[in-house]
Amino acid sequence: MKTWGFVQGTRRQSRVSNWKDPDELKEVLDLEVRRSGSSHETILQLVKQVINYSVTIGHPYFLNQLFSSVDPYGLAGQWLGDVLNPSVYTYEVAPVFTLMEETVLAAMRNILGYTGGDGIFCPGGSIANGYAINCARYHKFPQVKTKGLSSVPRLVVLTSEEAHYSIKKMASLEGIGSDNVYLVRTSANGKMDVQHLEQLVLRAIEEKAVPFMVSATAGTTVLGAFDPIDEIWEVCSKYKMWLHVDAAWGGGALMSKKHRHLLSSIEKADSVTWNPHKMLAAPQQCSTMLTKHEGLLSQCHSASAQYLFQKDKFYDTAYDTGDKHVQCGRRADVLKFWLMWKAKGSEGLEKHVDTLFDNAKYLTEAIRNREGFELVVHQPECTNVTFWYLPPSLRNSRHTPDFAEKLHKVAPLIKERMMREGTMMMTYQPHKHLPNFFRLVLQNSSLNRDDMDHIIYEIERLGRDL
Amino acid sequence: MKTWGFVQGTRRQSRVSNWKDPDELKEVLDLEVRRSGSSHETILQLVKQVINYSVTIGHPYFLNQLFSSVDPYGLAGQWLGDVLNPSVYTYEVAPVFTLMEETVLAAMRNILGYTGGDGIFCPGGSIANGYAINCARYHKFPQVKTKGLSSVPRLVVLTSEEAHYSIKKMASLEGIGSDNVYLVRTSANGKMDVQHLEQLVLRAIEEKAVPFMVSATAGTTVLGAFDPIDEIWEVCSKYKMWLHVDAAWGGGALMSKKHRHLLSSIEKADSVTWNPHKMLAAPQQCSTMLTKHEGLLSQCHSASAQYLFQKDKFYDTAYDTGDKHVQCGRRADVLKFWLMWKAKGSEGLEKHVDTLFDNAKYLTEAIRNREGFELVVHQPECTNVTFWYLPPSLRNSRHTPDFAEKLHKVAPLIKERMMREGTMMMTYQPHKHLPNFFRLVLQNSSLNRDDMDHIIYEIERLGRDL
């Protein structure tokens, strides 16, 4: 039976990537555009090279990021969207996708526990977090939309030191400034310290600044920690601050009866970022920003452009939802996720999520019991598994003064070998005072327990002589 | 010969859209997601409905927006990108697309006339304009990134009253405030009045505000006007302001020796927005922000997240370009455009652009000479063609007091008929003091002169009894 190349590429015995250093890759790949076009033969050759030298995100051993795999329904949805090539701003141009967005966003809010509310699809979780900051600010100071920040006191956003960097980036972009993102301390397993949160709120108030928003995280990027939403909400209520939950990564757990307790009280949040392209494995990109405040997205972002949102159209222009966004043209990212959801049902998505958590648990125990491996977080809450590998040469030198320095170099070296051989992709990073450790993240439910064992063997194979 | 459904759908005799009012469409289309999944038969049926009730953007008579058509190379590029499902932030995850972005952005800057500089792909032109505002602000006041706007005087952006609404939207989002976007008057054909620009700059200075940026437009949304870049640059130089050119729409003309004079002096701009998904007909979305300031994008936006942009990687991490963006995960929008450019060559893109302008010119003359039609802009510069259609009942009542009011209602009625019959899609809008007029925009070079004639006949057919 003939199988498409990209399906072959996702077989376990295939390479995850075919590494070339930047200079080498420039040599083999003719990327230059020219005055004259190329023949179809040349184009086909180039396409084969693009495939060959790209990382196979759909490979089971691509464990490097908070997204992976290529879901077949999701892919069909992408392809279909490409053919239709819509831009979702008005009902007349995108009737099906306007209604589809409404349906899917309502279903997601329903799962959160909101009654009513509103939502939008965004180009990624960073932008979704940016929307939340802007909505929170508008909610407190609607004049910012027209008068700008020069009309209000200094504003402060609070989030944990393990929150995603987009909170700082978006605070910079939105004129708040990254120094005005106050970073709350976290526990060893990565959760926000709510006492410290309140201290920072009081500090901001003392400074005559206005702390207007807390961004809690449900599934931090590195350790996969879930901040205590209910306790944070108490502080927000007390000081009249907007509660945002960045559940870009951990939101998927809401689909599971077994794991949704991790996000308990999320229905109290004013807004939530939730990316189906992460734990639910929809293709890149599929991100949402959901809020319980009906009408706010539109009030905060609308510009009522007459050339697009004419009010004398022959249909109900409440369906022209584009003005809720700061983007004008916008892809129908809803389609791929809708198709997945339709095909698998909520129970299919639940099974997917439960498999990920089962695999993470199995791997965690296997690492706990394996000589030379050490867990960073001993009881991980999410499907991030973080660990050090100690080659035999390091195992008896834990108490020597340069141990941490030596351990710090192990992960980068194993990563290099992994990349050059193309057998697996997994990331590493330092964290606070901790030396480099591996972090793998599971979102691909086609992996099984044998794969978890394989991951351990592969790290050992690559690193035991170090 | 068997032809795919979506190719059939782009034949002239097919419908552009199969209109249903929102409530009707909700009835026929089962969008709801449920606990249980659906059979493949059901899914296939749903997919057919999605196609059937979506607007066929690839249809020759979809003339409604600043984008249209489905380029076959572009589509192949989209499909390929979907299969590879990359996120372009680090070289290790997206080696090919990192280098491809570098190559294509450099080629685009070269066409602008920049030597060196930098650039990024953005999710749409609005966000690209937002990047430009943030870079301009950072260039003047780098402390805004960390300290926020409370550390600087009130800032003012200047743009014309016919500029795209994203300038105001992004100024609101970025904390500048839409009232601090000073709108410069335009001439009857839509060009920025440079004398008035200078008056507004002086007003801002008098008010003790800091006018830090002018956003000129190369191809306005409605009339397709090109602002006089060189004269605006003179004012910018004099008052030390950043010159941005929003060439999202008109940028495509740079590919044509015959038409690139419309953007002459664009190489003097500090930054440029240019969307290949508009005039060059790449699929949605393909937008770029280009700047002559090397290193600035990174300085302005980087957060140096340790989990992603580790500095102890084994390759040259200058290729980890993700930190130039405020987005984290990001699609490889470059691929579709690169494939088109490779296949057609710059000369193919030039021929495409020249065809659009030829058609626009032919149509303009046809309208000028046709009874009952009247041009809004008599010598359009771009491929926007704007006109009124006067049904016979109105032709002799030009001087009656309610003429404008009656004319204002004609375009919406014809549009409704057009939509309900599904024969064509073209937009209308009022503009300043002018009553509703039609605006069609050409980006699909598979249209020919017969199509231009057809457009006129079709408007007459739909509207002559009004």
Side-chain angles (χ1 to χ4, degrees), chain B residues 262-279:
Chain B
L262 291 165
L263 299 102
S264 78
S265 295
I266 195 164
E267 73 283 356
K268 294 182 178 172
D270 293 287
S271 61
V272 172
T273 292
W274 178 4
N275 291 7
H277 77 233
K278 290 196 161 79
M279 196 181 288

Side-chain angles (χ1 to χ4, degrees), chain B residues 274-346:
Chain B
W274 178 4
N275 291 7
H277 77 233
K278 290 196 161 79
M279 196 181 288
L280 299 181
Q284 282 280 5
Q285 283 187 314
C286 191
S287 298
T288 64
M289 185 278 202
L290 306 159
T291 174
K292 61 165 48 158
H293 298 272
E294 218 161 320
L296 187 69
L297 279 162
S298 181
Q299 289 158 30
C300 180
H301 299 113
S302 66
S304 306
Q306 275 190 322
Y307 80 91
L308 192 58
F309 304 112
Q310 304 92 326
K311 291 297 169 203
D312 56 358
K313 286 178 180 173
F314 67 98
Y315 60 87
D316 179 359
T317 55
Y319 287 96
D320 287 355
T321 51
D323 221 12
K324 292 180 188 177
H325 301 254
V326 296
Q327 283 187 285
C328 181
R330 198 165 52 78
R331 288 173 56 90
D333 288 334
V334 64
L335 174 56
K336 50 195 161 195
F337 182 46
W338 174 81
L339 207 61
M340 288 171 67
W341 202 339
K342 267 288 189 191
K344 302 175 184 205
S346 302

Side-chain angles (χ1 to χ4, degrees), chain A residues 26 32 35 40 73 82 92 123 145 169 172-173 285 310 319 323 325 329 342 350 415 428, chain B residues 26 32 35 40 73 82 92 137 145 169 172 285 310 319 323 325 327 329 342 350 415 428:
Chain A
K26 282 182 191 174
E32 220 52 56
R35 183 86 200 132
H40 282 185
Y73 299 105
D82 296 339
E92 66 179 87
K145 182 179 179 184
K169 280 208 179 188
S172 286
L173 181 74
Q285 281 189 316
Q310 305 92 326
Y319 287 96
D323 220 13
H325 301 253
K342 266 288 188 191
E350 176 170 31
K415 174 73 181 255
Y428 70 84
Chain B
K26 283 181 190 175
E32 220 51 55
R35 183 84 199 134
H40 282 185
Y73 300 106
D82 296 339
E92 67 180 84
R137 179 168 74 178
K145 183 180 180 185
K169 280 208 180 190
S172 286
Q285 283 187 314
Q310 304 92 326
Y319 287 96
D323 221 12
H325 301 254
Q327 283 187 285
K342 267 288 189 191
E350 175 171 33
K415 173 72 180 255
Y428 70 85

Side-chain angles (χ1 to χ4, degrees), chain B residues 51-279:
Chain B
I51 296 171
N52 187 31
Y53 294 113
S54 286
V55 171
T56 307
I57 306 293
H59 194 290
Y61 300 145
F62 178 81
L63 304 155
N64 206 68
Q65 310 290 153
L66 295 181
F67 77 103
S68 69
S69 77
V70 180
D71 183 272
Y73 300 106
L75 181 61
Q78 291 264 68
W79 282 355
L80 178 57
D82 296 339
V83 168
L84 297 171
N85 198 24
S87 182
V88 195
Y89 29 50
T90 61
Y91 181 82
E92 67 180 84
V93 170
V96 173
F97 302 116
T98 299
L99 299 186
M100 198 182 275
E101 284 190 346
E102 186 187 54
T103 307
V104 170
L105 291 166
M108 290 176 80
R109 287 198 305 274
N110 189 41
I111 287 166
L112 282 186
Y114 283 173
T115 52
D118 204 349
I120 49 176
F121 280 83
C122 306
S126 295
I127 305 272
N129 285 336
Y131 271 111
I133 295 173
N134 202 37
C135 284
R137 179 168 74 178
Y138 179 86
H139 188 68
K140 191 95 172 180
F141 297 111
Q143 69 269 36
V144 170
K145 183 180 180 185
T146 51
K147 302 289 171 205
L149 285 171
S150 58
S151 66
V152 299
R154 178 166 67 88
L155 302 181
V156 167
V157 175
L158 297 113
T159 197
S160 94
E161 55 189 357
E162 308 209 17
H164 189 255
Y165 69 84
S166 56
I167 302 294
K168 279 195 171 190
K169 280 208 180 190
M170 296 308 299
S172 286
L173 181 75
E174 296 183 17
I176 291 167
S178 54
D179 287 356
N180 293 314
V181 178
Y182 286 10
L183 296 181
V184 185
R185 274 196 305 260
T186 49
S187 62
N189 58 2
K191 285 174 182 290
M192 188 187 280
D193 172 342
V194 183
Q195 281 196 319
H196 189 228
L197 168 66
E198 189 162 6
Q199 287 164 22
L200 289 183
V201 171
L202 291 171
R203 190 186 105 193
I205 293 170
E206 249 180 53
E207 295 163 349
K208 314 268 183 241
V210 178
F212 70 105
M213 175 192 195
V214 179
S215 180
T217 310
T220 59
T221 310
V222 177
L223 302 182
F226 289 81
D227 285 340
I229 298 174
D230 200 46
E231 293 170 49
I232 295 169
W233 176 78
E234 296 279 352
V235 178
C236 287
S237 293
K238 186 168 167 190
Y239 298 98
K240 297 191 169 38
M241 297 182 294
W242 179 283
L243 173 57
H244 174 64
V245 177
D246 177 0
W249 167 226
L254 289 163
M255 302 305 295
S256 160
K257 284 185 285 296
K258 198 167 159 192
H259 300 289
R260 65 167 291 140
H261 68 91
L262 291 165
L263 299 102
S264 78
S265 295
I266 195 164
E267 73 283 356
K268 294 182 178 172
D270 293 287
S271 61
V272 172
T273 292
W274 178 4
N275 291 7
H277 77 233
K278 290 196 161 79
M279 196 181 288

